[in-house]
Amino acid sequence: MDYTPKDEKLIEARFEELMRSCERVIKRPEDTDTIRRAFLLAKEAHKGVYRRSGEPYITHPIAVAMIVREEIGLGVKSVAAALLHDVVEDNDNYTVEDIDRMFGPKIAYMVEGLTKIAGVFTNNPAAMIGGGGKDFSEQAESFRKVLVTMSNDLRVILIKIADRLHNMRTLGAMPVEKQIKITSETIFLFAPLAYRLGLYEIKTEFENLCLKYRFPETYKEINEKLQLTAHARDEFVENFITPIRRKLRESNIDFKIEGRVKSAYSIWMKMQRKQIPFEEIYDLFAIRIVFQPSPIIPEKSQCWHIYSLITDIYKPHPDRIRDWVNNPKANGYESLHATVMATGGAWVEVQIRSQRMEEIAEMGFAAHWKYKHDGGPGSDDEADFDRRLQEIRDVLNSSTDDAVDFLDNFSMALYSTEIVVFTPKGDSRRLPQGATALDFAYAVHTNVGNQAIGAKIDRKVEPIFTILTSGNQVEIITSKSSHPKPEWLDHVTTAKAKQAIKTFLKGDTHNRLRDGQRIFEERLKDFGLVPSRRLFNKVLPAYNSSTKDEFYSKLGSGMIKLDKLSEVIHENSASKWLKFWSIELSNPFKKDSGKDKIKQVGRVGSGFSGERAGSEFVIAPCCNPIPGDDIIGYNDPESGHTEVHKTSCDRLTWLAAQHGDYICKAEWASHKAMSHFAVIELRGIDRIGLMLDISQLIAGELNINMRELNVRTHDGIFEGTISVYVKDKHDIDSIIDKTKKIKGIDSVKRVS
Ligand code: MN
């Protein structure tokens, strides 16, 4: 289906507008050709497709290209990639290879990246950010992967942001559930990302649009109130500005000054955070002064010069100076903020910045590029720029197990305001507000963090958990014998510190388990035993542990000692531990089960799932009921087994909701297992490891309760008796059979 003449006209007009906007960046005739060809290909690929608003689809890529050019400030290749960004994704007739052939590898790479990112977000309503559950973390993980891959060329991310911005601007046409999905992603991912990349204007617009579509009433109310107070505010601003204006003119400064109202979103956030109504927010606006720098004086000095002119008029608040001129924010933001007292006593924030700083604040990294390439005033800080780029890559690459965790840390790192502290040598380090000396230690080096025991903050010794403030000079005191503790996690805010501590603790836990196991096995050798389930049945309750790992961990960390191990092992605990349990099952839903509603189907060992499970049922691993728990059965149609769950088990609730028919009644019915005492005599040729093999067989493989093992060796001959508890003759036969097969054993017989 071809475009209608009306569509053609509209499309042509939008494209002409884009071409005009590109004039500034077009350097060669091929550039015009590239953009035009990209446009024609996209127009062809999206033919017959319309947006919900009723406009032809091609208007979307044109609008995205326009944002890429006008609002982010990227060049020809990015404009072309923006025009092509949905072609491969939406039209099966085109591949990345086609793009490569027609437009070269750079544009193809960007289109490929954009296609991959699109795949993360497409049309999966369940994969809604904030929707919780598995889909959420999956999406977070794939988004992380894509970001990591694409961070080689940040332009891909910038174009994706432009794409999202246009979709947000046209969100009104979408159904509500789509609006929720898209706004959730935007507030969670795209706004922080835009902030990180220094795209303030876009970040603010993202936030405002999210508020608008999620809480339309609130959004409307705030805007109405802003409107109502506008006149009074304008008057106030005018009175405030007039003397400043006069003073700056007298000093021959070329500048613009205006009052800027804060965004609806940031006002709303403040209302939420402080739990106050709109009327009580005093800083609804800030004054911004943007000056054209004089070429002879450094911009920094000019900022401070303007500051001193203003503070000649208004008294500054001593604690509210934000010097992002000497210490730019991690995202590149530079500005000097001061808060001064207006006539009448209200505090007013004044932002002072050069034209270049203003552009960086609006367009973020792209403006850096511009100044870098144009050899402008910012061109000397190329190293600084590269470092910031590297910081972004670090954040994207930071390895965490859990993608959700990663995004949490990511948004945290993005939104918190920063402090700047100094090393003893005077190097500055940026840290989020609230960071402790320990965060600083990890920022210096992981090893410094891991061995930190204290800090000298401004030459005074303080605990490592001390919260730092801007300007602190910090020196970390370390000790080789110190190492991270779990509670450290409560005292750090940086992703790097958290990750390093977690990594250490994980390794530490691993070591403790290994140590515990070693100690236990070592001690068991005294008794000629090896770890077995049967043994753990006795040992775990005796040492107050519910799992093997808990036991090993307690042992490894020295929390428990094995003093009474001998009694524990030799305790004749048949009454306590040789108890077997049977479960009676019946299906209340089956009417025809007839004569006997209760049927006995099998037995399970006490509390250990799977152990000696009757062939027909298993203890459900999700809730792992033990005798005495209220239980219920679920006849799993797939395995044919009956799973025994606690009645309180969540999974059971879920199963019951799905397949109520398979639920059956289950009850513990305990009785003592019959156990018989037996002694076996063996003889053979002694060799290293023979004892171990025997005990391993009996206690481990056969899982039989060994009471005693007596062994003598003389002249290379091995003689011994084993006393065991067995259920029946079958057990004793099986011991004899298997023991005979052990290398070196000559004869085995039952003696009692
Ligand atoms: Mn798109």
Side-chain angles (χ1 to χ4, degrees):
M1 189 178 80
D2 275 340
Y3 291 102
T4 65
K6 191 169 143 261
D7 287 346
E8 287 281 5
K9 230 178 120 189
L10 174 84
I11 295 166
E12 201 51 42
R14 298 270 169 93
F15 180 65
E16 281 313 313
E17 201 186 336
L18 174 66
M19 282 313 276
R20 269 198 304 282
S21 147
C22 288
E23 271 163 22
R24 256 187 64 201
V25 286
I26 286 175
K27 303 212 169 71
R28 303 161 304 173
E30 303 95 274
D31 291 345
T32 314
D33 179 56
T34 302
I35 296 173
R36 187 164 285 281
R37 279 191 301 122
F39 162 66
L40 290 174
L41 177 63
K43 190 180 161 195
E44 180 63 26
H46 298 304
K47 196 161 70 180
V49 186
Y50 287 81
R51 306 198 87 213
R52 264 170 201 278
S53 62
E55 292 193 335
Y57 193 86
I58 180 69
T59 57
H60 165 66
I62 295 174
V64 174
M66 196 73 182
I67 294 169
V68 160
R69 176 74 280 286
E70 284 286 309
E71 294 173 59
I72 305 182
L74 298 180
V76 172
K77 287 199 174 63
S78 308
V79 167
L83 284 168
L84 296 168
H85 82 271
D86 278 333
V87 166
V88 176
E89 172 72 11
D90 291 353
N91 191 317
D92 292 341
N93 296 329
Y94 301 97
T95 63
V96 173
E97 287 70 39
D98 295 332
I99 307 286
D100 192 338
R101 203 161 27 75
M102 289 185 266
F103 296 94
K106 282 202 174 131
I107 292 175
Y109 178 81
M110 286 192 262
V111 172
E112 186 184 12
L114 289 157
T115 307
K116 277 188 192 156
I117 301 181
V120 179
F121 292 103
T122 22
N123 301 330
N124 182 2
M128 188 182 89
I129 289 272
K134 193 171 151 215
D135 296 322
F136 167 59
S137 63
E138 267 174 16
Q139 188 181 15
E141 176 57 32
S142 38
F143 191 75
R144 185 180 86 87
K145 274 193 200 137
V146 173
L147 283 182
V148 170
T149 332
M150 292 306 126
S151 59
N152 292 325
D153 192 342
L154 280 177
R155 287 177 300 181
V156 173
I157 296 174
L158 293 170
I159 297 169
K160 183 65 203 172
I161 287 175
D163 178 32
R164 176 53 58 124
L165 183 58
H166 185 243
N167 286 333
M168 284 297 291
R169 283 175 181 169
T170 52
L171 199 58
M174 283 289 180
V176 174
E177 66 276 11
K178 275 262 177 168
Q179 289 182 353
I180 292 176
K181 169 177 150 56
I182 291 171
T183 49
S184 306
E185 291 167 357
T186 301
I187 205 69
F188 195 73
L189 288 174
F190 288 95
L193 204 51
Y195 175 84
R196 190 60 169 181
L197 296 167
L199 301 162
Y200 280 87
E201 299 289 311
I202 291 177
K203 171 214 165 222
T204 305
E205 191 173 346
F206 273 149
E207 291 171 339
N208 279 339
L209 288 168
C210 284
L211 182 64
K212 179 178 168 186
Y213 288 107
R214 283 305 271 281
F215 303 102
E217 292 297 313
T218 315
Y219 180 76
K220 212 175 117 213
E221 207 180 303
I222 290 174
N223 279 314
E224 278 171 4
K225 286 186 173 169
L226 282 174
Q227 209 91 61
L228 279 173
T229 50
H231 181 69
R233 200 166 42 243
D234 287 350
E235 210 166 308
F236 180 93
V237 167
E238 199 44 46
N239 287 335
F240 180 81
I241 283 178
T242 307
I244 299 179
R245 201 180 267 142
R246 195 181 315 127
K247 193 107 184 182
L248 295 190
R249 280 194 189 133
E250 279 166 18
S251 307
N252 289 319
I253 294 166
D254 178 4
F255 69 98
K256 275 183 293 196
I257 185 166
E258 56 172 346
R260 293 181 60 99
V261 178
K262 299 223 162 130
S263 78
Y265 179 83
S266 63
I267 292 169
W268 177 69
M269 282 297 278
K270 195 152 196 173
M271 288 163 63
Q272 301 291 303
R273 211 170 43 235
K274 299 203 161 173
Q275 290 291 305
I276 50 172
F278 177 90
E279 288 69 26
E280 282 174 35
I281 294 181
Y282 66 93
D283 55 345
L284 286 172
F285 64 94
I287 303 294
R288 183 175 299 169
I289 298 167
V290 179
F291 62 93
Q292 289 297 339
S294 130
I296 348 159
I297 314 163
E299 285 183 18
K300 258 194 247 184
S301 317
Q302 295 181 65
C303 287
W304 285 104
H305 176 59
I306 293 172
Y307 170 81
S308 77
L309 292 174
I310 292 169
T311 51
D312 283 348
I313 310 168
Y314 301 115
K315 198 170 164 293
H317 191 304
D319 298 336
R320 289 212 211 131
I321 288 189
R322 300 286 176 267
D323 178 7
W324 286 305
V325 174
N326 281 306
N327 286 301
K329 283 194 191 180
N331 61 14
Y333 183 83
E334 293 174 56
S335 188
L336 179 62
H337 293 191
T339 300
V340 301
M341 190 182 280
T343 327
W347 291 110
V348 175
E349 184 182 303
V350 182
Q351 307 169 346
I352 305 163
R353 57 176 74 156
S354 69
Q355 182 60 37
R356 178 188 63 87
M357 297 172 185
E358 169 79 353
E359 278 179 43
I360 287 169
E362 271 173 7
M363 300 209 288
F365 277 86
H368 273 285
W369 272 310
K370 174 187 157 190
Y371 281 96
K372 198 164 90 167
H373 293 313
D374 293 358
S379 60
D380 56 339
D381 68 359
E382 192 166 337
D384 195 42
F385 171 75
D386 285 343
R387 187 177 51 72
R388 291 210 184 93
L389 208 61
Q390 190 52 47
E391 279 174 7
I392 292 175
R393 285 195 196 120
D394 286 349
V395 175
L396 296 176
N397 277 307
S398 65
S399 68
T400 57
D401 309 344
D402 184 4
V404 179
D405 222 30
F406 159 82
L407 284 169
D408 272 356
N409 289 335
F410 187 56
S411 345
M412 281 265 297
L414 299 185
Y415 270 128
S416 41
T417 38
E418 294 166 325
I419 58 166
V420 180
V421 295
F422 299 92
T423 66
K425 284 184 184 153
D427 295 335
S428 65
R429 283 278 192 303
R430 281 192 202 80
L431 291 171
Q433 191 103 53
T436 58
L438 191 54
D439 280 303
F440 174 84
Y442 277 105
V444 173
H445 195 277
T446 303
N447 288 341
V448 175
N450 281 343
Q451 301 185 346
I453 52 167
K456 270 189 200 166
I457 300 173
D458 297 333
R459 302 221 169 92
K460 211 168 135 236
V461 176
E462 305 273 7
I464 45 170
F465 297 156
T466 309
I467 291 173
L468 301 176
T469 51
S470 254
N472 280 156
Q473 189 168 49
V474 190
E475 185 183 350
I476 298 299
I477 307 163
T478 59
S479 154
K480 283 235 158 24
S481 59
S482 166
H483 54 80
K485 317 214 170 18
E487 62 267 26
W488 283 21
L489 286 170
D490 301 333
H491 297 279
V492 293
T493 55
T494 55
K496 190 181 179 198
K498 276 194 181 145
Q499 200 50 44
I501 295 168
K502 278 186 193 161
T503 305
F504 182 91
L505 292 176
K506 206 175 279 172
D508 198 36
T509 310
H510 184 72
N511 288 341
R512 266 205 317 273
L513 286 176
R514 224 181 35 206
D515 287 352
Q517 184 170 4
R518 208 198 56 235
I519 294 168
F520 188 51
E521 284 172 359
E522 205 64 34
R523 277 299 299 279
L524 283 186
K525 276 189 194 155
D526 300 347
F527 305 97
L529 292 176
V530 291
S532 69
R533 245 185 220 146
R534 191 55 63 94
L535 204 54
F536 281 117
N537 281 356
K538 292 177 167 189
V539 170
L540 296 188
Y543 293 99
N544 223 347
S545 305
S546 51
T547 65
K548 200 168 85 181
D549 281 356
E550 184 186 342
F551 172 70
Y552 281 155
S553 165
K554 281 177 172 172
L555 190 58
S557 63
M559 276 168 69
I560 49 176
K561 301 259 176 284
L562 296 176
D563 332 341
K564 46 179 180 125
L565 187 63
S566 168
E567 291 124 75
V568 172
I569 291 176
H570 295 119
E571 181 190 7
N572 186 353
S573 54
S575 59
K576 198 170 157 199
W577 290 105
L578 268 182
K579 222 181 229 175
F580 282 84
W581 299 84
S582 68
I583 293 177
E584 293 169 331
L585 299 162
S586 70
N587 189 341
F589 300 100
K590 263 190 195 157
K591 299 250 162 56
D592 60 356
S593 63
K595 40 197 182 285
D596 187 4
K597 276 206 163 186
I598 295 178
K599 51 177 179 158
Q600 197 108 340
V601 288
R603 303 191 306 183
V604 277
S606 52
F608 283 85
S609 65
E611 183 192 356
R612 290 200 170 236
S615 59
E616 287 193 42
F617 67 91
V618 285
I619 295 291
C622 47
C623 52
N624 205 15
I626 56 167
D629 288 336
D630 287 335
I631 48 170
I632 208 148
Y634 168 73
N635 297 313
D636 184 358
E638 269 171 45
S639 64
H641 292 304
T642 299
E643 292 174 7
V644 179
H645 293 263
K646 286 184 187 170
T647 45
S648 61
C649 173
D650 285 344
R651 188 173 144 70
L652 178 88
T653 312
W654 184 81
L655 287 168
Q658 313 270 316
H659 326 278
D661 282 357
Y662 298 124
I663 298 297
C664 61
K665 193 166 171 264
E667 260 171 19
W668 300 105
S670 67
H671 60 264
K672 232 181 258 181
M674 298 297 288
S675 53
H676 307 280
F677 186 68
V679 179
I680 296 162
E681 196 182 82
L682 18 104
R683 233 182 111 85
I685 297 160
D686 192 22
R687 65 168 169 90
I688 294 166
L690 183 60
M691 277 280 278
L692 190 70
D693 286 354
I694 294 168
S695 50
Q696 211 146 38
L697 172 73
I698 296 170
E701 194 182 328
L702 295 173
N703 198 5
I704 281 173
N705 194 24
M706 183 156 54
R707 170 113 200 263
E708 219 175 308
L709 182 66
N710 285 310
V711 174
R712 276 171 307 158
T713 57
H714 54 90
D715 307 327
I717 299 295
F718 171 101
E719 279 181 314
T721 54
I722 310 168
S723 315
V724 288
Y725 280 109
V726 291
K727 270 201 329 290
D728 49 27
K729 188 168 172 303
H730 174 78
D731 273 356
I732 202 91
D733 289 347
S734 130
I735 294 177
I736 292 171
D737 271 347
K738 297 219 166 148
T739 315
K740 273 183 182 161
K741 288 185 188 133
I742 292 174
K743 196 179 138 213
I745 294 291
D746 190 31
S747 71
V748 184
K749 63 178 186 223
R750 185 173 176 188
V751 290
S752 78

